[in-house]
Amino acid sequence: MIIKHHTNEGVLKKKIQYAGQKFTLANGKDAFFSQNLSGAQDSRYNGLYAKINEMYVKTLESVSTGKEAVEVEKFKDAVVIKRPSLIETYYMPYGIMGLVYDVAGKGSLKIKVDFKEIFNNEMSVEPKIINAGPVKFVKFGFKENVYLAIASNLKLVDCMKKTNVFYELDSQRNSLPENRDVYEIFSAEIKKPARIAFCAGTDLKSIENDVKKLLKIKLEKKPCSPVENALNKLFFRQRIVAGLPWFCKPWIRDELISLKALLILGEVDLFKKIIFDYVKRIPEQGLFSHNGIVMADSIGWVAKRLNDYLDMGFKFSKIEEELIKRKFKDAVYAILKTRAKESFVINKPKETWMDSLLRDGARIEIQALQLNIYKLMSRVAKEPRYKLMEKELKKKVRGAFYKNGVLLDAPGDFTLRPNAFLACYIYPELLAKKEWLQVFKNLLKELWLSWGGLASVSKKSVLYRDVDDGEAAFAYHNGDSWYYLNNIAAICMKNFSGLKKYAQKIRSASMQDLFYQGSVGDCSEISDAKMQISRGAWAQAWSAATLIELNYGSFNF
């Protein structure tokens, strides 16, 4: 199979083996579609999902001709798949809750539907087909009626048939159920160029109008910057969703980590809109929560991104400075009152980014983020006490965490994890450059993976697992390699002449994932430690955002 990426600099082309790759499209608002390049879905999270009444709902399972892919061409908002005797094009225009499917050549196709809320796995009931002139409506019974409108210049033949699908990827991920009944509702014979348009919603008139627009819309095959496109795809209503398919809303930590890429891409106004939304919403206790769990690193990442804004030469207005001073002054007081122990900031179980682990206590990246808060307040409030607080905490962190060329994950915890790279990225002033060099060398001895990644725990640890176990989640932070953290590590290492080769290998692996693995043109969440393979969410925002950072400029200590 040949993969072609149409980039702003030209066409990238490579012959690869099919290994379950898929593609993902999104409409910039509340809908996305993914399908395996083979046409046979390997996950119940593939298909067309649209946000209806605050919940993502699946309506379309697949559109498939049953022929293997010979060549795949990736554009900004479209994917062209060449198969024996057929060419298919999938296109998702901005803002419409639907999909355009163009096909030319000779063959046959099948349209399958499934109805489910994204995390509800109750079996779908048999849909009803309503023929309304040129538009067919597939009606799904639900709390209220949900419809999939289908319009085509191709003759669609009704063939209502229930079929059981085995989802191989879900089985690998220990994600049950791995089998599900779906409905094959239409078939068609392809003899000349044709188009099928799909649109989901609850209002018949509205989706009828939209599906008719899709039937006539001009297909745009635009080149793009693939890594920028991978991030831009995850902007839903001008906020960054964490990842597709199952992290399909803004997650605080993920969005904050992804934000610097906006400054790099020149999206300064959007950066300010998002970051100051967080500043305004800093809670009384000083830390944000997600799904009822406090995020110990949340306000620290707000401070880090505000410091980045200043470091890149931008300035705050007087009103913005006053808001920052007021909100962070209260937050610092609240955190120190409720979270301080022996001068360190303490997090409770599952409050760090490694949220499958308890990992309570004083953790290295939390201290680095607290130092960032003091640094920000020293710059903005210009009060000497914050500079003194920064100096004192830095001294204590060095004394408790830095031991014999190793930066510990926590005082007394000698199990090596890659969070020292995070600490360097967040607050490089913690150690001298030669000290960081020794820290990185010691980490690489135990974390480095030959394909170009880092394990999430030492390969010497009894906790280490080299293959992802999906929803069982033991390997998730005990071996699985995280692309966002790999990229951050490379950002830190690329200024060291002796470590550049590691940074380059990480970048190559991240680009390999973007171009040819998982969802083609998207950045995966994680990989197995044993070998590079797309695992986890197949389109992850912070993986793309940190790769944009890695491709930009240099990192200063």
Side-chain angles (χ1 to χ4, degrees), residues 477-490:
H477 297 109
N478 283 319
D480 285 351
S481 185
W482 290 71
Y483 282 105
Y484 99 92
L485 195 55
N486 294 344
N487 295 335
I488 282 176

Side-chain angles (χ1 to χ4, degrees), residues 99-102 134-135 150-154 194-198 209-218:
L99 174 76
V100 173
Y101 171 81
D102 285 350
V135 178
I150 304 175
S152 181
N153 54 8
L154 187 65
R195 171 172 289 187
I196 309 174
F198 305 88
N209 290 336
D210 282 345
V211 81
K212 287 179 178 178
K213 288 179 188 176
L214 292 177
L215 201 58
K216 298 178 181 178
I217 200 167
K218 183 180 178 181

Side-chain angles (χ1 to χ4, degrees), residues 485-550:
L485 195 55
N486 294 344
N487 295 335
I488 282 176
I491 290 167
C492 296
M493 289 192 290
K494 69 179 184 179
N495 276 2
F496 293 92
S497 58
L499 301 181
K500 280 184 179 179
K501 62 182 180 181
Y502 294 101
Q504 291 167 349
K505 192 75 179 283
I506 285 172
R507 182 183 178 276
S508 294
S510 289
M511 297 299 281
Q512 171 75 9
D513 172 70
L514 168 69
F515 287 132
Y516 306 116
Q517 295 189 339
S519 178
V520 174
D522 294 298
C523 295
S524 304
E525 179 187 10
I526 56 176
S527 168
D528 287 352
K530 186 176 183 179
M531 61 179 289
Q532 187 183 13
I533 187 170
S534 173
R535 299 293 193 197
W538 48 77
Q540 189 82 358
W542 63 9
S543 300
T546 52
L547 183 53
I548 289 169
E549 280 193 63
L550 177 55

Side-chain angles (χ1 to χ4, degrees), residues 193-243:
R195 171 172 289 187
I196 309 174
F198 305 88
C199 192
T202 57
D203 183 270
L204 281 174
K205 192 64 180 175
S206 176
I207 62 173
E208 180 180 13
N209 290 336
D210 282 345
V211 81
K212 287 179 178 178
K213 288 179 188 176
L214 292 177
L215 201 58
K216 298 178 181 178
I217 200 167
K218 183 180 178 181
L219 178 64
E220 296 185 356
K221 297 179 184 176
K222 295 181 178 179
C224 63
S225 162
V227 66
E228 291 177 23
N229 196 50
L231 180 61
N232 289 337
K233 181 184 299 180
L234 298 171
F235 278 92
F236 282 24
R237 298 185 180 273
Q238 292 200 308
R239 296 300 294 257
I240 306 173
V241 299

Side-chain angles (χ1 to χ4, degrees), residues 102-169:
D102 285 350
V103 61
K106 292 185 177 181
S108 59
L109 65 80
K110 295 177 181 179
I111 298 173
K112 295 178 182 178
V113 299
D114 184 18
F115 176 77
K116 66 185 289 289
E117 290 182 340
I118 189 164
F119 299 119
N120 186 337
N121 295 309
E122 293 178 6
M123 297 310 292
S124 181
V125 296
E126 183 172 314
K128 296 180 180 178
I129 298 174
I130 304 170
N131 292 296
V135 178
K136 297 176 182 289
F137 295 97
V138 183
K139 179 182 177 181
F140 303 95
F142 191 44
K143 297 171 186 175
E144 65 176 289
N145 289 325
V146 174
Y147 300 91
L148 177 66
I150 304 175
S152 181
N153 54 8
L154 187 65
K155 183 180 179 182
L156 301 179
V157 179
D158 294 6
C159 61
M160 182 68 68
K161 182 172 66 174
K162 182 163 69 174
T163 180
N164 188 264
V165 178
F166 169 69
Y167 294 116
E168 183 178 2
L169 180 61

Side-chain angles (χ1 to χ4, degrees), residues 22 49 198 204 207 212 237 249 325 418 430 445 458 469 505 526:
K22 61 187 68 187
Y49 281 89
F198 305 88
L204 281 174
I207 62 173
K212 287 179 178 178
R237 298 185 180 273
K249 61 181 179 180
K325 284 191 287 186
L430 181 63
K445 288 176 186 176
S458 169
D469 54 357
K505 192 75 179 283
I526 56 176

